[in-house]
């Protein structure tokens, strides 16, 4: 009987040990499953976040194109249709008037001439200042996107130059059409324009360089041909500038 009781106790202990092991194994499996689910959820959230950032950047890019494009062409229409505003408070300045022209082909009317006089500058200046604000947002958003790909907290070179280009554009727009007798101020007006062009090209070139470095990480978000076309475009702009 004692032998039977002893064997029974050993069986109970063995079964209890097996049950504890199974319980621990089950708990570990649940923890591993929860960890895997959290990692999957985090990954999906990161992808969603990046896609949202890219969508916002695309929208900003379109605004950066359309705002100047529309404002310049409105100024052009005012210049060649100045007679419609004759004898009104918006009578077009003589310098800003032009016969019918298509400056994209004949080059007979410059953007400066079409936009720096009254009333065209009422359209052009606010549009350029608005473009500057959108430019700043574009570069900040792009900087944030690159940081999310690299899991970095540092701000990149292109962000600084991009924001600087926006400030130069704003300064140039404010002084456009304002006549100064002091030569140094006239020089600054030209410096602001040249600085805007050089700063923007520098920012774009730096951005392309960073995109190229992480091209494998952004493969699922950007088509390789888009990156190649952007490299060609920036290279042409550098040569022309």
């Amino acid at each position: 009987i004692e032998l039977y009781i002893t064997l029974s106790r050993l069986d109970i202990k063995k079964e209890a040990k097996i049950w504890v092991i199974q319980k621990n194994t089950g708990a570990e499996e649940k923890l591993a499953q929860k960890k895997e689910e959290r990692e999957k959820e985090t990954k999906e959230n990161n992808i969603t976040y990046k896609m949202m950032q890219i969508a916002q950047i695309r929208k900003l890019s379109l605004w950066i194109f359309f705002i100047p494009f529309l404002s310049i062409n409105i100024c052009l229409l005012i210049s060649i249709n100045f007679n419609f505003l004759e004898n009104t408070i918006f009578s077009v300045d003589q310098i800003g008037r032009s016969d019918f022209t298509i400056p994209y082909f004949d080059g007979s009317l410059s953007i400066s001439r079409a936009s720096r006089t009254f009333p065209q500058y009422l359209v052009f200046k606010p549009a350029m200042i608005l473009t500057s604000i959108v430019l700043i947002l574009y570069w900040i958003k792009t900087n944030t996107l690159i940081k999310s790909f690299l899991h970095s907290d540092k701000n990149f070179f292109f962000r600084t130059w991009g924001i600087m280009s926006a400030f130069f554009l704003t300064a140039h727009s404010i002084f456009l059409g304002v006549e100064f007798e002091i030569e140094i101020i006239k020089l600054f007006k030209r410096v602001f324009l040249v600085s805007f062009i050089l700063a923007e090209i520098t920012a774009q070139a730096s951005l392309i360089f960073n995109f190229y470095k992480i091209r494998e990480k952004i493969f699922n978000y950007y088509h390789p041909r888009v990156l190649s076309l952007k490299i060609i475009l920036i290279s042409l702009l550098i040569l022309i500038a």
Side-chain angles (χ1 to χ4, degrees), residues 161 165 168 191-204 238 241:
W161 282 98
S165 73
F168 287 133
V191 167
F192 287 142
L193 178 58
V194 174
S195 298
F196 160 68
I197 295 170
L198 293 178
E200 187 63 26
I201 290 176
T202 303
Q204 290 288 349
I238 291 171

Side-chain angles (χ1 to χ4, degrees), residues 31 33-43:
L31 287 172
Q33 187 178 358
K34 286 182 179 180
K35 183 179 179 182
E36 186 178 343
E37 288 174 355
R38 283 197 300 268
E39 288 176 352
K40 184 179 179 181
E41 186 179 353
T42 302
K43 187 177 180 180

Side-chain angles (χ1 to χ4, degrees), residues 78-79 81-94 97 117-123:
I78 293 172
S79 293
N81 295 286
F82 59 88
N83 54 303
F84 288 106
L85 298 174
E86 201 67 37
N87 300 320
T88 69
I89 59 172
F90 296 110
S91 180
V92 180
D93 190 278
Q94 290 294 328
R97 299 184 180 193
T117 57
F118 182 86
Q120 291 96 313
Y121 66 66
L122 296 177
V123 175

Side-chain angles (χ1 to χ4, degrees), residues 7-117:
L7 290 173
S8 297
R9 287 176 179 176
L10 288 174
D11 288 340
I12 292 169
K13 287 181 180 180
K14 186 177 180 181
E15 288 177 3
K17 187 176 180 181
I18 292 170
W19 181 81
V20 170
I21 291 171
Q22 288 177 342
K23 184 179 179 182
N24 291 336
T25 303
E28 288 174 1
E29 287 177 354
K30 287 182 179 179
L31 287 172
Q33 187 178 358
K34 286 182 179 180
K35 183 179 179 182
E36 186 178 343
E37 288 174 355
R38 283 197 300 268
E39 288 176 352
K40 184 179 179 181
E41 186 179 353
T42 302
K43 187 177 180 180
E44 288 175 353
N45 290 337
N46 285 336
I47 292 171
T48 303
Y49 172 75
K50 288 172 183 174
M51 293 303 295
M52 288 176 60
Q53 288 288 104
I54 291 170
Q56 290 174 4
I57 291 168
R58 284 174 177 167
K59 289 178 182 177
L60 290 171
S61 300
L62 290 173
W63 281 113
I64 290 168
F65 170 76
F66 281 114
I67 294 172
F69 179 77
L70 291 174
S71 66
I72 289 168
N73 282 279
I74 290 170
C75 291
L76 172 62
L77 289 173
I78 293 172
S79 293
I80 63 179
N81 295 286
F82 59 88
N83 54 303
F84 288 106
L85 298 174
E86 201 67 37
N87 300 320
T88 69
I89 59 172
F90 296 110
S91 180
V92 180
D93 190 278
Q94 290 294 328
I95 297 174
R97 299 184 180 193
S98 173
D99 295 327
F100 179 79
T101 179
I102 304 177
Y104 298 105
F105 297 104
D106 56 35
S108 61
L109 183 64
S110 67
I111 294 173
S112 176
R113 181 185 161 195
S115 59
R116 73 173 184 263
T117 57

